[in-house]
Amino acid sequence: MRKLVVTEFMSLDGVMEDPGGAEQFEHGGWSMKFNDPEGMRFKFDELMAADVQLLGRVTYEGFAKAWPTMRDEAGFADKFNTMKKYVVTSTLTEATWQNSEIVDGRGDVLAAIAAIKQQEGGDILVAGSQTLVRTLAAHDLVDEYRLMVHPIVLGSGKRLFDGIETPFTLRLVESQTLATGSLTLIYGR
């Protein structure tokens, strides 16, 4: 059985919107101020342990626009581009990025995701995708939250847990302080 992992860059006040700066959010690109070799190792190891990405439409479209042309010596871009990708959408009729498949957002999304979790293989990574993450969290489908919390307060923007109606408790699995003052935090259910 696969582990479903929500992985997010987050500001100190919980904002996860547009950390890379590609979405025209007024504070977009905020995470780039905190590039750190240990943080990049964390993200690399996380990706190498996964073999599936599960994405909401908005994140999928942003990734599909940027990633196919990226290259790096470490193999991050190759892995990112070639791994299996599922996009949860009720509006797209075609997924054009390599190894992408649509999960119909008008159907039984929870059953489809539960079936993906039942498969053998590496982790399922969910990056960005705030609406999808909220749905997964509300239905207790997230096995782990891997957060890279940066020491910046943005004051506005989409927050990771906006809209969660039922409180839930997490268990700290691991934490690390990076040279930039950012934290990597891994929480389990």
Side-chain angles (χ1 to χ4, degrees), residues 9-160:
F9 293 106
M10 219 166 77
S11 69
L12 197 57
D13 57 338
V15 174
M16 47 77 69
E17 184 174 0
D18 198 13
E23 300 169 24
Q24 275 121 51
F25 169 51
E26 66 180 313
H27 306 300
W30 53 268
S31 74
M32 298 307 182
K33 300 173 184 172
F34 305 100
N35 283 341
D36 178 285
E38 288 178 272
M40 294 304 103
R41 169 55 63 188
F42 177 81
K43 298 308 279 180
F44 182 83
D45 291 347
E46 174 181 82
L47 182 66
M48 293 304 142
D51 59 12
V52 171
Q53 293 182 61
L54 176 64
L55 304 165
R57 181 195 52 85
V58 173
T59 301
Y60 173 83
E61 288 180 326
F63 282 6
K65 183 178 178 183
W67 278 98
T69 59
M70 291 193 190
R71 302 287 178 263
D72 64 273
E73 290 181 23
F76 191 97
D78 286 342
K79 171 83 177 200
F80 210 76
N81 282 310
T82 58
M83 67 195 301
K84 181 70 178 175
K85 292 167 274 299
Y86 294 96
V87 56
V88 177
T89 179
S90 57
T91 58
L92 292 181
T93 57
E94 180 180 28
T96 57
W97 188 13
Q98 181 182 5
N99 285 335
S100 295
E101 184 177 320
I102 289 177
V103 173
D104 188 350
R106 296 165 297 195
D108 192 346
V109 173
L110 300 176
I113 293 169
I116 295 166
K117 283 186 71 171
Q118 291 302 314
Q119 298 170 357
E120 293 297 319
D123 295 345
I124 302 166
L125 290 183
V126 183
S129 308
Q130 186 225 24
T131 301
L132 176 60
V133 169
R134 185 175 55 233
T135 300
L136 296 170
H139 291 90
D140 199 24
L141 288 172
V142 179
D143 298 300
E144 225 172 61
Y145 294 87
R146 295 183 190 158
L147 310 175
M148 189 174 289
V149 180
H150 298 298
I152 185 169
V153 175
L154 298 173
S156 66
K158 293 178 186 173
R159 287 174 168 72
L160 180 58

